Amino acid sequence: MLIVVYTLGCKINRIESRSVIAELTALGHETTEDFVPADLYVINTCAVTAEAERKSRQMVSKAARVSPGAKVIILGCSGQNDREAFGRFDNVVFIGGAASKARAVREYIDGAGGASGRFALPEVYEEMRLPARTKTREFVKVQDGCDNFCSYCIVPYLRGSSRSRGLDSIAAELNAVEAKEIVLSGVNLSDYGSNIGAGLTDLLRTAGAATSARIRLGSLEARVITDGLLQTMSEINFCRHFHLSLQSGSAEVLRAMNRKYT
């Protein structure tokens, strides 16, 4: 059976899709990320904007055109946010959410799934099957969820509360990575460790000890760039680059957005 795993949205979605691909490959299925004629489509959706949700639904219609009669599994934030919208499509046979993506696909294929998936979000970090590796750049997920509740953002309601991956688990994955550069990624990376008694400094020390690859961090808030963090970065093979989520230069706009800085 040929299965297309198609991803919309953020890098975390892409990491999770690659974990789904690893799960399907282990089950003996042929997979591709190209939108080609197939027996089954797994669409990992996004809901960060109305346009992202529209595109997510659009891909279900595209699957019906490309492969009439093929079945579609919905995963991701748009499925979490509005499963009724996907339930109106005749080719959709399973609607999952933002958690347990690989398990949901496996259980559907094994015959244990139904028309609607699990919507309960975990309170602790959910480990995934490790994806196939490249030799260049790897994205490693270390955190999920968000507690910020910015006034414009739906993510905390769909991804759940902030939860961090344990340092031992991260080190084990980094030991297996052969890429030249590793990007440590999360839904709200700035909040790494808040629920496990650690922090970004601990994360970077662990990464530096586990791999000789160049380390890069995903998007950060400016408030977490401290002297201590910079000192730790200077002691490991850290990429001299930050992507800062500044959002606006207006204090008034930032207050309206419920951002935690001026």
Side-chain angles (χ1 to χ4, degrees):
M1 179 164 63
L2 176 60
I3 303 175
V4 168
V5 180
Y6 187 82
T7 309
L8 299 101
C10 65
K11 289 183 175 65
I12 296 299
N13 250 17
R14 297 187 183 282
I15 296 171
E16 291 165 350
S17 286
R18 292 184 63 212
S19 178
V20 170
I21 290 170
E23 188 78 29
L24 291 170
T25 301
L27 293 172
H29 298 291
E30 182 183 358
T31 63
T32 178
E33 295 182 80
D34 298 324
F35 213 95
V36 298
D39 304 293
L40 176 67
Y41 293 84
V42 178
I43 302 177
N44 194 1
T45 64
C46 177
V48 72
T49 64
E51 177 66 8
E53 292 210 87
R54 186 191 69 80
K55 288 182 177 179
S56 296
R57 296 189 297 270
Q58 189 178 56
M59 298 315 297
V60 181
S61 298
K62 183 176 179 179
R65 294 195 306 272
V66 173
S67 293
K71 298 177 179 179
V72 176
I73 293 174
I74 297 298
L75 303 175
C77 288
S78 193
Q80 183 86 22
N81 187 47
D82 190 3
R83 62 176 176 175
E84 289 79 11
F86 293 100
R88 293 193 286 267
F89 290 93
D90 293 336
N91 55 342
V92 171
V93 294
F94 185 91
I95 306 169
S100 305
K101 294 179 180 180
R103 186 176 69 182
V105 173
R106 182 181 69 246
E107 291 186 1
Y108 172 78
I109 290 175
D110 288 343
S116 57
R118 294 177 175 83
F119 289 86
L121 294 168
E123 296 181 358
V124 297
Y125 184 86
E126 181 180 36
E127 295 288 347
M128 306 181 301
R129 182 183 288 273
L130 299 184
R133 296 303 180 193
T134 71
K135 298 289 187 179
T136 52
R137 175 187 285 181
E138 282 291 346
F139 291 87
V140 173
K141 181 182 174 184
V142 301
Q143 186 272 343
D144 204 340
C146 184
D147 297 331
N148 282 349
F149 291 95
C150 299
S151 60
Y152 57 89
C153 186
I154 197 173
V155 169
Y157 302 97
L158 302 182
R159 283 276 180 175
S161 60
S162 180
R163 48 204 187 272
S164 300
R165 185 178 180 183
L167 293 169
D168 289 344
S169 173
I170 295 168
E173 180 171 0
L174 295 180
N175 280 326
V177 173
E178 298 180 1
K180 297 177 181 178
E181 180 174 294
I182 296 169
V183 185
L184 301 175
S185 306
V187 171
N188 180 14
L189 186 61
S190 297
D191 198 41
Y192 175 80
S194 63
N195 67 322
I196 60 172
L200 285 175
T201 299
D202 303 295
L203 173 64
L204 288 177
R205 286 176 180 157
T206 297
T211 179
S212 60
R214 184 169 64 174
I215 302 297
R216 188 189 296 266
L217 292 176
S219 183
L220 294 174
E221 295 183 10
R223 62 177 176 81
V224 303
I225 309 298
T226 64
D227 289 342
L229 186 68
L230 292 170
Q231 178 62 37
T232 300
M233 291 171 174
S234 72
E235 296 168 358
I236 65 172
N237 188 15
F238 182 77
C239 180
R240 297 168 66 86
H241 165 266
F242 296 113
H243 180 270
L244 300 181
S245 301
L246 299 179
Q247 298 290 341
S248 173
S250 164
E252 182 180 357
V253 170
L254 290 169
R255 282 195 300 272
M257 296 170 80
N258 197 32
R259 301 294 285 176
K260 306 302 189 293
Y261 51 84
T262 65

